[in-house]
Amino acid sequence: SQTIHQWPATLVQPVGSPLSLECTVEGTSNPNLYWYRQAAGRGLQLLFYSVGIGQISSEVPQNLSASRPQDRQFILSSKKLLLSDSGFYLCAWSVSGGFDEQYFGPGTRLTVT
Amino acid sequence: RKEVEQDPGPFNVPEGATVAFNCTYSNSASQSFFWYRQDCRKEPKLLMSVYSSGNEDGRFTAQLNRASQYISLLIRDSKLSDSATYLCVVNPSGTYKYIFGTGTRLKVLA
């Protein structure tokens, strides 16, 4: 069966510090991968998605970036965090080539102070 | 108009009640539809996909109305454990993106 991992689970970072969140998927090949952010009390905002290694589509131009160095690894980064980057970051995967269900990781709760 | 719209609620219902949520979408070419459940401070979890013919899973029934561009979720015999936020999700045709509604909060009262 497929599983999706995210770490860390929680993170408190000062403004201006860098960020690296990692997501890995097991039990499937060539998944579509997604990063979302959910601000407190708000809906999910799609940040990036990837349909293959090195292929990243950005939905929200801001101080975040994403990379997919391996088939089942998706990384979200920032060089300098802003207060507005606080939120619940969720990684998700879906089957390649289809429009099937998405499955989410447990998320990382980021607080920028 | 938002791509996916939901009544935010909250819907407060007694145990055993039947409750229904609707979700409207703007892209008539959308081809995949889902309902997710999200508990407080947790990740969304797939509740059910929504098929053109409608589908049922135990106490949960989902319907799709393409003509009016909405999907619905019916919960029968509500349980306390059904208390959560229910997210409507639409996949527009020809894209790999999933558009999430902001969710409908349900609180089932003892």
Side-chain angles (χ1 to χ4, degrees):
Chain A
S1 65
Q2 300 85 7
T3 55
I4 179 169
H5 304 278
Q6 279 188 253
W7 61 90
T10 59
L11 194 57
V12 180
Q13 292 283 92
V15 168
S17 63
L19 173 74
S20 181
L21 302 181
E22 189 164 342
C23 169
T24 59
V25 181
E26 296 176 354
T28 187
S29 295
N30 196 29
N32 296 334
L33 295 172
Y34 303 80
W35 278 113
Y36 293 87
R37 178 172 62 201
Q38 187 174 36
R42 307 288 295 275
L44 272 71
Q45 178 187 32
L46 178 62
L47 302 175
F48 301 94
Y49 68 94
S50 171
V51 299
I53 296 175
Q55 300 179 58
I56 308 295
S57 296
S58 173
E59 290 297 302
V60 184
Q62 50 191 351
N63 66 320
L64 298 174
S65 62
S67 62
R68 185 171 177 173
Q70 300 181 42
D71 181 42
R72 291 169 290 175
Q73 184 185 30
F74 206 20
I75 297 172
L76 182 69
S77 304
S78 174
K79 292 182 179 178
K80 287 186 177 181
L81 284 168
L82 307 172
L83 284 174
S84 57
D85 291 324
S86 294
F88 190 35
Y89 287 81
L90 291 154
C91 181
W93 74 274
S94 66
V95 173
S96 169
F99 304 99
D100 297 326
E101 303 87 356
Q102 280 190 317
Y103 298 93
F104 287 83
T108 295
R109 196 160 300 278
L110 171 67
T111 303
V112 182
T113 60
Chain B
R1 181 183 175 187
K2 290 183 180 178
E3 291 184 86
V4 177
E5 291 198 74
Q6 294 183 253
D7 181 342
F11 285 58
N12 296 322
V13 303
E15 269 188 293
T18 295
V19 61
F21 309 135
N22 278 349
C23 165
T24 59
Y25 60 94
S26 60
N27 187 337
S28 60
S30 297
Q31 61 181 38
S32 301
F33 309 88
F34 312 93
W35 283 102
Y36 281 75
R37 169 197 170 123
Q38 186 174 26
D39 293 293
C40 187
R41 300 179 69 82
K42 296 288 189 180
E43 75 274 23
K45 292 189 176 177
L46 178 69
L47 183 63
M48 57 199 312
S49 303
V50 187
Y51 304 120
S52 295
S53 56
N55 49 308
E56 185 174 317
D57 183 3
R59 298 182 293 110
F60 300 84
T61 300
Q63 297 282 350
L64 167 63
N65 186 318
R66 285 192 182 274
S68 300
Q69 294 181 213
Y70 75 85
I71 66 173
S72 63
L73 177 68
L74 181 77
I75 305 175
R76 291 181 297 278
D77 189 22
S78 299
K79 311 290 184 191
L80 293 175
S81 57
D82 294 334
S83 297
T85 296
Y86 290 84
L87 304 172
C88 167
V89 184
V90 174
N91 173 240
S93 177
T95 80
Y96 291 102
K97 297 190 292 185
Y98 295 75
I99 310 300
F100 282 74
T102 53
T104 298
R105 282 181 54 204
L106 170 66
K107 189 168 185 180
V108 181
L109 307 172

